[in-house]
Amino acid sequence: MLVLALDTSTAACAVALAELTASDTARPVSTAGGGPAGPGVHVWPRGSVVTVDARRHGELLAPSMRAVLDEAGARPTDLAAVVVGAGPGPFTSLRVGMVTAAAFADALDIPVHGVCSLDGIGAATAGSVGVVTDARRREVYWARYVAGVRVGDPAVGRPAQVAQTLRELGVDAVTGPGRALYPEPFAGFAAVADDAADAGDGAGTPEGGYPRPELLVGLAGADLLAGRVPGVLAPLYLRRPDAAEPHVPKPVRA
């Protein structure tokens, strides 16, 4: 099963193509709802493009999709499904990925599955780890992972508050782009090596701490292989957008 994965929830515009097969040895991973994924799956990467530029998601996404398909010698009609990072993420960038994924899948008449973008980082970790990404407004999106499985729902908060909460939950390591953005609050936590995942021990995070799109395929793998109908594609904003409706004009006094 050939699957295209997209994520635009962070400053990275990430696209990957992967072959999905069943496996009896893959460890359980978290789904969009945070529970076990069920039957094991194996993801065979066929290519990926990750470009870090917070202001060019709309410009970069379609060419990246074409580049990944061309690299694998595949056509859009070869795809069986699309998986997209559903956030949490800033309003504008997240909409780019989700609208593109929905439109692309609809044009091909294939399913599109949404997965929590933080899982695309946390699922590659071991031990008790906090994942933090930039939420702007001097805040971070975050979630806690134990043995690569998310515990609880993602949330948003001030870096210092999030760091305190993670300590109280017994988290000893933090990863994700939010760590480098706010080094002082997270200074007391151990770092997670970016290359540990390639060492074969199941630990580590994607390069630069951004969501790894091929991981998103594995996270939705059980549903994809079982042919389950995906739920409604809903973005995880966790707060209201920066833009707001204007107030009613004040009446002019004589």
Side-chain angles (χ1 to χ4, degrees):
M1 176 182 288
L2 201 60
V3 181
L4 185 72
L6 320 173
D7 188 86
T8 57
S9 66
T10 67
C13 180
V15 181
L17 185 67
E19 187 78 29
L20 182 68
T21 61
S23 170
D24 295 330
T25 59
R27 65 189 179 98
V29 293
S30 61
T31 65
V41 297
H42 192 92
V43 177
W44 303 88
R46 295 282 297 274
S48 65
V49 174
V50 179
T51 307
V52 180
D53 191 329
R55 298 180 180 276
R56 298 177 62 211
H57 291 94
E59 178 182 346
L60 293 168
L61 186 55
S64 296
M65 293 164 63
R66 179 181 293 276
V68 165
L69 289 168
D70 288 346
E71 180 184 350
R75 297 177 297 177
T77 51
D78 296 327
L79 297 173
V82 175
V83 175
V84 61
F91 183 87
T92 302
S93 63
L94 186 57
R95 294 287 290 188
V96 169
M98 297 198 70
V99 170
T100 300
F104 192 64
D106 184 65
L108 295 171
D109 195 23
I110 57 177
V112 55
H113 290 254
V115 180
C116 173
S117 298
L118 297 179
D119 292 358
I121 305 172
T125 63
S128 183
V129 177
V131 172
V132 291
T133 62
D134 184 17
R136 302 180 184 172
R137 301 186 192 175
R138 298 182 180 179
E139 292 181 329
V140 292
Y141 297 115
W142 67 279
R144 179 169 68 108
Y145 293 79
V146 176
V149 179
R150 175 160 47 85
V151 180
D153 294 327
V156 61
R158 297 286 184 182
Q161 284 182 316
V162 172
Q164 180 61 31
T165 300
L166 290 174
R167 290 189 187 94
E168 293 172 354
L169 293 172
V171 171
D172 49 29
V174 169
T175 189
R179 177 186 176 92
L181 190 61
Y182 299 101
E184 186 174 344
F186 300 111
F189 294 91
V192 179
D194 289 345
D195 60 353
D198 296 328
D201 61 0
T205 59
E207 183 178 355
Y210 294 104
R212 183 186 295 169
E214 63 269 22
L215 271 182
L216 300 179
V217 175
L219 293 164
D223 289 335
L224 290 167
L225 291 174
R228 299 188 184 101
V229 177
V232 176
L233 196 60
L236 297 171
Y237 293 129
L238 303 188
R239 67 183 184 200
R240 296 181 62 83
D242 293 331
E245 294 183 6
H247 296 290
V248 177
K250 294 181 180 180
V252 178
R253 294 183 180 180

